[in-house]
Amino acid sequence: NLLCFRKNVAPKVHKGVSTRYGQQVELKEQNQNLVAAKEELQKNLSEKQQRVEELELQLDELQKENVEFQKNLQDCHRLLVSAKIDPVLGERVGDAARQKEDERKEVMSVSTDLLRELKAFGDIASQQRTQLQASHRLLSPL
């Protein structure tokens, strides 16, 4: 009986050691996977940060261009109105200018719509920048 008892005990002790070793190996693999995932996330974060910087520069440039476009449009509009020039034909008109007021309003409406679209684009770019910055904040503790 004593021999049988020892045979039963020995494998259990050996099995406990191999289980512990297996757990250590598994933990080591998990740690390596986590390190690799962390490196990938840091790489992605770095790329996103670079993209945010690029988008911010583009947004700044577009906002400057938008201000210039608006100023130029207002200057052109003032010149056209003061000189009573038809914006479509480019000719001086007297009574015909009053008759074509609807056409002029349409041209101004299109210009206004374009300016609104530029502003909307700037707003969207700002929102994307904010979202990317929020993503950056979420990923940065990694």
Side-chain angles (χ1 to χ4, degrees):
N1 281 344
L2 192 55
L3 264 183
C4 290
F5 181 71
R6 285 186 181 175
K7 286 183 182 177
N8 289 339
V9 171
K12 286 184 182 177
V13 170
H14 179 68
K15 192 173 187 180
V17 170
S18 69
T19 303
R20 188 177 331 135
Y21 176 75
Q23 288 174 345
Q24 288 175 347
V25 168
E26 185 178 329
L27 287 174
K28 185 176 180 182
E29 288 174 3
Q30 287 177 352
N31 189 40
Q32 289 173 344
N33 290 337
L34 288 173
V35 167
K38 179 183 176 185
E39 289 172 358
E40 182 67 24
L41 286 173
Q42 286 177 332
K43 178 184 172 189
N44 288 340
L45 176 62
S46 177
E47 290 171 358
K48 296 296 182 194
Q49 287 172 329
Q50 185 177 357
R51 183 68 179 139
V52 166
E53 290 173 10
E54 292 170 4
L55 288 173
E56 286 174 343
L57 288 174
Q58 287 178 356
L59 177 63
D60 289 342
E61 290 173 14
L62 288 172
Q63 287 174 337
K64 288 176 186 176
E65 285 180 28
N66 189 20
V67 168
E68 287 180 38
F69 286 141
Q70 288 179 359
K71 183 182 178 294
N72 288 339
L73 183 63
Q74 289 172 352
D75 291 345
C76 290
H77 180 258
R78 282 189 208 110
L79 289 172
L80 291 173
V81 169
S82 67
K84 295 183 180 178
I85 296 175
D86 186 314
V88 177
L89 300 175
E91 300 172 355
R92 286 184 173 265
V93 289
D95 294 336
R98 283 182 290 250
Q99 293 172 354
K100 294 188 177 185
E101 182 66 18
D102 291 339
E103 292 176 5
R104 187 189 64 77
K105 285 181 181 179
E106 185 176 326
V107 169
M108 293 308 300
S109 175
V110 169
S111 298
T112 302
D113 290 344
L114 288 173
L115 290 173
R116 275 194 212 113
E117 287 181 25
L118 277 173
K119 184 184 180 318
F121 177 81
D123 292 344
I124 290 170
S126 294
Q127 290 171 357
Q128 289 178 349
R129 176 178 54 188
T130 301
Q131 290 173 352
L132 286 172
Q133 287 172 341
S135 296
H136 163 66
R137 281 188 232 109
L138 288 173
L139 294 174
S140 62
L142 298 175

